[in-house]
């Protein structure tokens, strides 16, 4: 343990643990986490104006300050200086251990939806403060309602302090809307979204489809061991034991049940069933929540065959009831709607068979009576045929006369056109046009040849002009000039360098000649005082008993420090004499 300079006491050791490290223990602060948010203390009286500190308080505060150099020694403890990282780590350990699980009420703000990884980031705020909240994707996937700005929620989680940024936040594991349950909010939000898309409500895209009067096969999606299936089959077969039922076993509550129900609807829709019944018995809202899932609602809407929803009891309503083509209050009611009583059907069939036979007999009698009445009014077809033959012969004679007249008119027109064509003599006009075409073709060929010759001459002249003004010759001359200037520059650089070296050598010789080491090498020495290093130039610079240093320049010495030195003590000082 090191002792403080100027005192004979050692400083007290710092505590290695506890929150006393945050304040150095100088003011006697207890080692509890007083810097983190603690439960709100009971209200106190309004604070009074701060009074001037007493002399004793000033002494306590100044006792924690280190002593200044040269100040009187005092027995005072030293203060502890923490790095930002150490302070943050101690705060992090204190806060996270103090608040491992908290419930916080506030209003959602700054929510922009899940990020690319599915995490939720938002702020909880009230009139006094705000708190950053993070919810990881694994927890966010379990939310049964859509989060939005302005929603009052109660968040459950733990407080976390992010050391690099020095900010604390709440890691939420559960969110509940304040004032209404999460299931009710999720139900209303999904209902509103499906209504906006046209799956339910008055503006639904596809109206409810009619159910078949007597389905050949009924598809049922429910649990094989559920009481709802037994009630449905019991009522169905009691009314009509001949109906065929195709069951798709699926869990109707719990994790993953919505996917099984939706998959069962899709599988049954690809079979030969005429209608699909989605059913289960009664239960709490949580038990029936499988049929409030969006996955099930969209599977029902996408089914190509009608779907009957028979969920719970008559007072239970689910999203599936709104999307389905028909809602049954109970599984038994669904069976009654889909299965007419077989005896009633047979009785009605026998009744309609008797009525149909009697109606057919009455219709046959009516048709026979009408046939007899019509037969008396029919004329002999042979007389009618003779009349039609006479009328056809008169029409044929009239048509022959008209055709003969038309033929004579066409012959006259043809004769007139032939005479006009002979007068025009198209063969002569064609020969004249051919001769003119040959003449124009010869003139065109001559003009083309002359134009080609003129263009070739112009191109040759342009080529000659281009060769005269070509930059190749100028480039070659400039390159030769650049090479000449470069050679002159190199020679000038060499001459300048040689001249500078000669000048440097002359200066070096003059400097060497003026060097004190040269003078000392000829037998001279330099004397200086040892106490202050001053050079002795006269006897006035020394006193008897003073220690002197005498330096000699040996061979090879480059500086005064490398010279040989003799120490001597002055015994007497004499006056000036002739040297």
């Amino acid at each position: 343990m090191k002792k403080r300079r100027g005192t004979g006491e050692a400083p007290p050791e710092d505590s290695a643990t506890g929150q006393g490290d945050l304040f150095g223990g100088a003011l006697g602060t207890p080692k509890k986490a007083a810097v983190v948010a603690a439960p709100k203390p009971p209200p106190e009286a309004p604070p009074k104006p701060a009074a001037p500190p007493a002399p004793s308080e000033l002494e306590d505060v100044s006792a924690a300050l280190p002593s200044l150099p040269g100040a009187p020694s005092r027995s005072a403890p030293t203060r502890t200086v923490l790095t930002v990282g150490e302070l943050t780590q101690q705060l992090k350990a204190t806060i996270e251990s103090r608040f491992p699980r908290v419930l916080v009420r506030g209003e959602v703000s700054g929510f922009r939806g899940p990020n690319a990884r599915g995490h939720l980031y938002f702020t909880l705020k009230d009139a006094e403060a705000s708190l950053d909240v993070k919810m990881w994707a694994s927890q966010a996937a379990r939310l049964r309602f859509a989060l939005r700005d302005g929603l009052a929620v109660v968040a459950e989680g733990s407080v976390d302090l992010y050391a690099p940024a020095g900010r604390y936040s709440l890691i939420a594991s559960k969110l509940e809307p304040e004032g209404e349950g999460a299931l009710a909010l999720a139900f209303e939000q999904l209902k509103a979204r499906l209504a906006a898309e046209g799956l339910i409500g008055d503006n639904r895209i596809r109206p409810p489809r009619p159910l078949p009067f007597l389905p050949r096969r009924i598809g049922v999606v429910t649990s094989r061991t559920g009481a709802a299936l037994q009630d449905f089959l019991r009522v169905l077969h009691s009314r009509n034991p001949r109906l065929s039922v195709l069951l798709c076993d699926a869990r109707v509550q719990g994790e993953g049940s919505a996917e099984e129900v939706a998959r069962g609807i899709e599988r049954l829709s690809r079979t030969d069933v005429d209608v699909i019944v989605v059913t289960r018995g009664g239960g709490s809202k949580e038990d029936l929540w499988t049929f409030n899932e969006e996955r099930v609602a969209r599977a029902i809407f996408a089914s190509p065959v009608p779907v009957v929803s028979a969920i719970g009891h008559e007072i239970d309503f689910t999203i599936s009831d709104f999307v389905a083509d028909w809602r049954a209050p109970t599984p038994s009611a669904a069976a009654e709607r889909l299965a007419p009583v077989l005896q009633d059907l047979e009785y009605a069939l026998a009744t309609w068979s008797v009525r149909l036979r009697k109606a057919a007999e009455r219709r046959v009698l009516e048709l026979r009576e009408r046939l007899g009445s019509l037969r008396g009014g029919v004329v002999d077809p042979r007389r009618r045929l003779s009349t039609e033959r006479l009328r056809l012969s008169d029409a044929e004679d009239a048509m022959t006369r008209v055709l003969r007249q038309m033929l004579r008119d066409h012959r006259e027109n043809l004769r007139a056109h032939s005479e006009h064509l002979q007068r025009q003599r198209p063969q002569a006009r064609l020969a004249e046009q051919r001769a003119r075409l040959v003449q124009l073709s010869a003139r065109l060929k001559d003009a083309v040849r002359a134009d080609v010759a003129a263009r070739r001459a112009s191109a040759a002249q342009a080529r000659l002009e281009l060769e005269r003004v070509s930059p190749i010759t100028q480039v070659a001359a400039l390159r030769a000039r650049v090479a000449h200037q470069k050679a002159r520059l190199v020679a000038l650089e060499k001459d300048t360098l040689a001249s500078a070296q000669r000048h440097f050598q002359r200066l070096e010789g003059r400097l060497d000649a003026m060097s004190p080491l040269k003078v000392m090498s000829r037998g001279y020495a330099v004397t200086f005082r040892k106490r202050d290093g001053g050079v002795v130039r006269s006897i006035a610079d020394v006193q008897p008993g003073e220690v002197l240093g005498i330096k000699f320049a040996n061979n090879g010495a480059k500086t005064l420090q490398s010279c040989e030195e003799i120490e001597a003590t002055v015994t007497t000082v004499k006056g000036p004499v002739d040297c």
Side-chain angles (χ1 to χ4, degrees), residues 163-365:
R167 298 177 61 181
Y168 75 96
S169 59
L170 179 68
I171 306 300
S173 59
K174 187 177 180 182
L175 288 177
E176 290 291 342
E178 187 179 16
E180 56 180 333
L183 297 182
L185 179 59
F187 182 88
E188 295 300 329
Q189 288 180 346
L190 179 58
K191 184 177 177 182
R193 186 164 68 253
L194 295 181
E197 296 182 15
L199 272 67
I200 62 175
D202 299 334
N203 299 325
R204 62 186 296 167
I205 301 173
R206 185 193 63 205
R209 294 167 290 192
L211 301 181
F213 172 72
L214 185 62
R216 292 171 299 176
R217 175 174 285 188
I218 301 174
V220 180
V221 180
T222 188
S223 174
R224 183 192 302 271
T225 59
L229 177 62
Q230 304 303 322
D231 294 343
F232 179 83
L233 294 178
R234 176 176 52 79
V235 175
L236 185 75
H237 289 157
S238 66
R239 296 171 63 88
N240 192 341
R242 298 180 181 178
L243 287 180
S244 174
V245 176
L246 182 60
L247 173 65
C248 185
D249 185 24
R251 291 182 299 165
V252 292
Q253 73 180 66
E255 191 72 22
S257 57
E259 286 72 13
E260 292 190 12
V261 172
R263 190 161 51 248
I265 296 173
E266 294 170 355
R267 293 180 61 185
L268 288 178
S269 65
R270 294 193 294 267
T271 62
D272 59 344
V273 297
D274 296 330
V275 65
I276 297 175
V277 179
V278 181
T279 182
R280 71 148 286 159
S284 63
K285 183 176 294 185
E286 290 78 6
D287 296 338
L288 303 179
W289 191 256
T290 297
F291 302 93
N292 289 327
E293 296 287 351
E294 184 177 0
R295 177 81 170 81
V296 177
R298 295 191 181 277
I300 293 175
F301 186 80
S303 174
V305 298
V307 178
V308 175
S309 175
I311 311 300
H313 301 298
E314 187 172 358
I315 60 175
D316 297 324
F317 281 89
T318 63
I319 296 296
S320 300
D321 296 335
F322 298 104
V323 183
D325 298 282
W326 192 74
R327 175 188 178 267
T330 60
S332 301
E336 293 177 359
R337 172 63 181 83
L338 296 176
V341 180
L342 182 60
Q343 295 178 355
D344 295 345
L345 290 177
E346 292 176 347
Y347 178 77
L349 184 61
T351 302
W352 282 105
S353 177
V354 173
R355 294 177 62 183
L356 181 62
R357 185 171 59 255
K358 291 182 179 180
E361 291 174 354
R362 286 195 303 268
R363 183 63 174 168
V364 169
L365 291 177

Side-chain angles (χ1 to χ4, degrees), residues 279-455:
T279 182
R280 71 148 286 159
S284 63
K285 183 176 294 185
E286 290 78 6
D287 296 338
L288 303 179
W289 191 256
T290 297
F291 302 93
N292 289 327
E293 296 287 351
E294 184 177 0
R295 177 81 170 81
V296 177
R298 295 191 181 277
I300 293 175
F301 186 80
S303 174
V305 298
V307 178
V308 175
S309 175
I311 311 300
H313 301 298
E314 187 172 358
I315 60 175
D316 297 324
F317 281 89
T318 63
I319 296 296
S320 300
D321 296 335
F322 298 104
V323 183
D325 298 282
W326 192 74
R327 175 188 178 267
T330 60
S332 301
E336 293 177 359
R337 172 63 181 83
L338 296 176
V341 180
L342 182 60
Q343 295 178 355
D344 295 345
L345 290 177
E346 292 176 347
Y347 178 77
L349 184 61
T351 302
W352 282 105
S353 177
V354 173
R355 294 177 62 183
L356 181 62
R357 185 171 59 255
K358 291 182 179 180
E361 291 174 354
R362 286 195 303 268
R363 183 63 174 168
V364 169
L365 291 177
E366 292 175 359
L367 291 177
R368 284 178 180 177
E369 292 177 358
R370 185 179 180 187
L371 179 62
S373 62
L374 291 176
R375 184 179 296 172
V378 173
V379 183
D380 187 3
R382 289 175 291 183
R383 296 175 57 186
R384 181 69 178 271
L385 183 60
S386 177
T387 302
E388 293 296 330
R389 282 180 178 175
L390 291 176
R391 193 169 69 84
L392 181 61
S393 178
D394 294 340
E396 183 180 1
D397 293 341
M399 185 180 65
T400 302
R401 290 193 298 270
V402 171
L403 288 177
R404 287 175 180 174
Q405 183 62 36
M406 290 178 62
L407 184 58
R408 284 195 296 269
D409 294 341
H410 282 296
R411 285 178 177 173
E412 292 295 332
N413 290 332
L414 180 60
R415 186 180 301 108
H417 287 303
S418 179
E419 292 176 355
H420 179 73
L421 182 62
Q422 289 295 331
R423 287 194 297 271
Q424 291 295 329
R425 294 194 300 174
Q427 292 83 359
R429 297 186 63 182
L430 183 60
E432 181 182 355
Q433 294 294 334
R434 284 178 178 174
R436 181 172 178 79
L437 182 61
V438 171
Q439 182 181 3
L440 291 176
S441 176
R443 291 176 59 187
L444 179 61
K445 290 180 180 180
D446 294 340
V448 169
R449 292 193 187 97
D451 185 66
V452 168
R455 289 177 180 272

